[in-house]
Amino acid sequence: MTLFTKANGVRAMLCLVGMWVLFSAFLSYIDNKTATYSTFSRLSIRHVHRFAKTVNVSSDSYSNKSSKGNDILTSGNQAAQLFDVGAQIVGSSLSQQNNISKKYNQSKNGIIRTIKNQYSVSLKYGCKEPQYDENEGPISPNTTLESLDIVEAELAPLLKPGGSFQPHDCIPKDHVAIVVPFRDRYAHLAVFLRNIHPFLMKQHIAYRIFLIEQTNGRAFNRAALMNIGFLEALKIYPWDCFIFHDVDLLPLDNRNLYTCPRQPRHMSVSIDTLNFKLPYRSIFGGVSAMTREHFQLVNGFSNSYFGWGGEDDDMSNRLKHANLFISRYPVNIARYMMLKHPKEKANPKRYENLVNGISKIEMDGINSIKYNIYSIQEFSTFTWYLAELKIVDQTS
Ligand code: BGC
Ligand code: MN
């Protein structure tokens, strides 16, 4: 009996193929265990490996700004540059935009009026705050679940890469970085982007959405992610206003302007899940707006709050310590809807942190944060950062 029969050859081949399949499965398992993946991979958008090369993010060149971030008058050259931006968009994708506009018109988002406004005026004046009378204020967000890919495709023609926007018919006065701390809430993200862009595009501001995602492995640190968003956003453009925004909150009124007034502004005053009532006076969570100067003055947020709660109260204490006041729109304007999610487990150390907070302002904040950025990517509707925190958690 010989070993080298045809049947044995086939068996040996099958055996080798089987071993190869098992070995690849094993490698992929190890890879999954050790790699820092973008959680977006679950949405099959992108798959990002640990130590992925960072890409260059295009810097925003809003031509009416001096390098210090002060508004300056538009010279002929700058006006021409601005006109170029508008012309490019009109030339390349106006028909696409019309289709999109129709869709939005059907969904009563009022964006068609914005688009018309954008192209009906060719002279560039300083933007004026949009005016709405009482019945034009309230809006109902579209909360139907949609894949991020579809939302991106719908909005892409209206935006510049990275989820940035600037009005085309006037010179924006406000340059606003919208910083969104993020982990795990994919469905919320799509709903958020779908609603926030049309809402912001009507406000005559220049803005960009920065999504800061924390890598897996440690408790969520909302405040540290917002500090990272602040620092990273300033590498792109000297924004004068920062709006820190939970991904699950949707504004319900057009009169709620995303700008930074003279004092820090708490935006999410009345939330549906809290019966449209302010829970307590010093609250600064949910959505809040601060100028770059004020944020720097208080050294940003504390990095010490891992897990849910307290980090916004700590900021509130920092503001008070710096003799700043929390300003607010009235409850009928600063209204929000919160998307549903299970209640987070509160961090039991938050009160202890709060007590020690004031004495740590100078050494705990944007001047002390340590982090790695594994990946930066410009999606059509947001600029995404995958950040690993390197903060030593002394309290939990
Ligand atoms: C927490 C805050 C939170 C607020 C409202 C407080 O107890 O410390 O972080 O924003 O409750 O939910
Ligand atoms: Mn929430």
Side-chain angles (χ1 to χ4, degrees):
M1 197 181 90
T2 168
L3 205 59
F4 301 104
T5 60
K6 208 173 170 186
N8 276 351
V10 171
R11 273 185 210 116
M13 283 290 279
L14 283 175
C15 195
L16 278 173
V17 169
M19 276 163 66
W20 180 76
V21 168
L22 278 173
F23 187 57
S24 331
F26 173 69
L27 282 184
S28 141
Y29 170 78
I30 293 289
D31 200 27
N32 262 313
K33 274 272 190 201
T34 54
T36 300
Y37 274 92
S38 158
T39 34
F40 292 125
S41 59
R42 284 192 233 161
L43 280 182
S44 71
I45 299 173
R46 297 285 187 278
H47 181 144
V48 179
H49 263 278
R50 191 175 175 88
F51 304 124
K53 276 201 183 121
T54 55
V55 295
N56 282 333
V57 172
S58 61
S59 61
D60 287 332
S61 52
Y62 300 117
S63 45
N64 66 323
K65 299 283 287 186
S66 72
S67 58
K68 278 186 169 163
N70 301 321
D71 290 323
I72 53 173
L73 285 175
T74 309
S75 69
N77 189 19
Q78 287 163 335
Q81 277 178 27
L82 269 174
F83 184 72
D84 262 8
V85 177
Q88 226 179 341
I89 293 168
V90 174
S92 64
S93 57
L94 190 58
S95 61
Q96 248 175 318
Q97 288 195 17
N98 282 341
N99 289 338
I100 299 264
S101 306
K102 272 181 212 145
K103 268 196 198 167
Y104 276 107
N105 200 26
Q106 281 157 8
S107 66
K108 296 194 186 77
N109 263 333
I111 200 163
I112 197 146
R113 191 176 52 187
T114 314
I115 304 292
K116 269 195 204 142
N117 283 346
Q118 276 175 13
Y119 298 113
S120 59
V121 185
S122 57
L123 278 174
K124 306 288 185 291
Y125 296 110
C127 296
K128 294 204 176 72
E129 280 190 359
Q131 301 291 327
Y132 295 100
D133 57 40
E134 245 168 85
N135 51 5
E136 288 176 313
I139 40 172
S140 346
N142 178 355
T143 53
T144 39
L145 279 181
E146 190 54 276
S147 91
L148 193 46
D149 290 333
I150 305 271
V151 172
E152 286 245 297
E154 272 178 4
L155 291 167
L158 308 172
L159 298 165
K160 289 200 283 171
S164 81
F165 176 85
Q166 103 183 87
H168 299 290
D169 60 343
C170 58
I171 312 292
K173 190 164 66 65
D174 305 282
H175 297 76
V176 187
I178 314 280
V179 176
V180 183
F182 183 81
R183 182 192 263 177
D184 285 340
R185 304 268 186 90
Y186 318 103
H188 287 179
L189 178 63
V191 175
F192 173 73
L193 293 166
R194 177 180 231 193
N195 287 283
I196 207 75
H197 276 299
F199 169 81
L200 292 175
M201 282 189 250
K202 292 181 287 191
Q203 299 209 351
H204 304 170
I205 58 169
Y207 71 86
R208 183 172 183 132
I209 295 189
F210 295 88
L211 190 83
I212 320 295
E213 180 178 359
Q214 187 179 331
T215 53
N216 295 331
R218 299 185 71 178
F220 192 59
N221 188 328
R222 179 178 179 267
L225 295 176
M226 294 190 286
N227 280 345
I228 294 171
F230 177 85
L231 295 169
E232 293 297 320
L234 284 179
K235 292 180 185 169
I236 292 186
Y237 185 75
W239 308 97
D240 34 41
C241 174
F242 288 79
I243 301 217
F244 303 99
H245 211 302
D246 281 359
V247 75
D248 60 0
L249 288 173
L250 306 176
L252 296 175
D253 200 294
N254 283 323
R255 292 166 293 177
N256 186 0
L257 300 182
Y258 275 37
T259 55
C260 285
R262 295 170 87 86
Q263 293 289 338
R265 180 191 272 153
H266 178 234
M267 314 280 290
S268 48
V269 177
S270 53
I271 304 180
D272 57 354
T273 50
L274 299 171
N275 297 321
F276 292 110
K277 283 199 189 93
L278 192 70
Y280 52 97
R281 285 234 56 89
S282 61
I283 192 167
F284 201 62
V287 186
S288 51
M290 286 177 74
T291 61
R292 184 179 70 235
E293 285 78 11
H294 284 164
F295 197 77
Q296 279 161 343
L297 180 70
V298 299
N299 196 17
F301 285 93
S302 159
N303 299 307
S304 312
Y305 291 80
F306 283 85
W308 185 90
E311 82 293 338
D312 52 337
D313 304 315
D314 186 283
M315 174 54 91
S316 199
N317 290 342
R318 287 177 182 228
L319 299 180
K320 202 168 165 198
H321 189 75
N323 289 324
L324 296 170
F325 297 93
I326 296 177
S327 60
R328 290 189 175 93
Y329 276 124
V331 283
N332 65 324
I333 290 177
R335 282 164 70 86
Y336 285 80
M337 164 194 280
M338 191 186 282
L339 297 168
K340 287 193 176 55
H341 60 79
K343 209 168 157 50
E344 307 283 341
K345 198 176 141 277
N347 167 18
K349 298 280 168 94
R350 66 193 191 284
Y351 301 114
E352 195 184 316
N353 277 358
L354 273 172
V355 172
N356 302 327
I358 296 294
S359 59
K360 293 202 315 185
I361 295 177
E362 264 114 69
M363 50 197 170
D364 177 13
I366 44 173
N367 68 353
S368 68
I369 187 163
K370 294 198 169 44
Y371 62 98
N372 272 344
I373 296 287
Y374 282 124
S375 188
I376 307 177
Q377 211 160 312
E378 283 183 333
F379 287 85
S380 303
T381 57
F382 59 97
T383 308
W384 169 69
Y385 295 77
L386 182 61
E388 183 188 35
L389 305 182
K390 293 287 195 187
I391 306 154
V392 184
D393 181 7
Q394 291 144 336
T395 51
S396 57

